[in-house]
Amino acid sequence: MRLTAEAPTPDWDSFEFALECADMELRCYYDTVTGEVCVTGPFEDDPGERERIDADPRRYLEIDRLPAHERYQWMARFATEEVGDALLREKLLRALEGRGPFRRFKDALLSAPQERERWFAYQANALRRAIEQWFAARDLPVRAAPPWARRDGGYLHK
């Protein structure tokens, strides 16, 4: 991720929403001029937004949702690499089998509040890494570092 004074400052919170958006009717776009995230769908706040995006496709880059398999891998890595309690680790890995692993995984963590908090921190870091990778893959500069960047100017995720 490059910092440049001429680039926009992305709306980091909206970008997180866009990557995690579960509503298949919505499409999210990054405005490379303003840094805003535009959301289109059946209930648009601005009915002309879709037309603006279509009229200038180089300005607006679609933000694809994180694939389910990637989020699944985060859960599997957390369980195998971060959870020290063998019984909880096995419970989490069993939760990942079959249909509905995302809900079962979170439910399995209900009995371990400290591990549940660690999971949410782990997931947030993985999401932030994905955001940084999105910008890096497109060589898109930003004016300001994301709020999770370290104080020394480096990024948490390389």
Side-chain angles (χ1 to χ4, degrees), residues 47-68:
E49 193 160 58
R50 177 79 252 166
E51 288 76 20
R52 282 193 300 281
I53 291 168
D54 289 341
D56 197 352
R58 289 183 184 190
R59 174 177 173 166
Y60 299 94
L61 303 177
E62 187 164 5
I63 305 167
D64 293 324
R65 291 170 189 78
L66 281 171

Side-chain angles (χ1 to χ4, degrees), residues 22-154:
D23 188 336
M24 298 307 284
E25 291 186 48
L26 299 180
R27 294 285 181 263
C28 299
Y29 298 86
Y30 176 67
D31 184 335
T32 60
V33 174
T34 67
E36 295 175 320
V37 172
C38 305
V39 180
T40 65
F43 305 107
E44 289 180 25
D45 289 336
D46 179 357
E49 193 160 58
R50 177 79 252 166
E51 288 76 20
R52 282 193 300 281
I53 291 168
D54 289 341
D56 197 352
R58 289 183 184 190
R59 174 177 173 166
Y60 299 94
L61 303 177
E62 187 164 5
I63 305 167
D64 293 324
R65 291 170 189 78
L66 281 171
H69 72 272
E70 188 169 338
R71 292 182 294 125
Y72 179 92
Q73 288 172 347
W74 295 350
M75 293 185 298
R77 271 196 299 272
F78 177 79
T80 58
E81 298 172 10
E82 303 291 328
V83 176
D85 180 288
L87 290 174
L88 180 58
R89 182 174 43 251
E90 286 305 312
K91 186 177 179 181
L92 292 172
L93 291 172
R94 273 195 315 275
L96 294 176
E97 297 172 1
R99 295 176 52 93
F102 297 99
R103 169 57 52 204
R104 284 197 316 271
F105 186 84
K106 288 179 186 172
D107 288 347
L109 284 168
L110 288 174
S111 64
Q114 287 180 315
E115 287 299 314
R116 187 171 189 267
E117 289 304 312
R118 282 186 356 97
W119 158 247
F120 286 125
Y122 182 91
Q123 181 183 28
N125 283 332
L127 179 61
R128 291 167 178 165
R129 194 169 40 251
I131 290 170
E132 291 174 10
Q133 290 169 349
W134 191 91
F135 280 88
R138 289 154 184 80
D139 194 31
L140 287 173
V142 298
R143 177 175 299 181
W148 58 83
R150 294 191 319 220
R151 285 186 210 137
D152 64 6

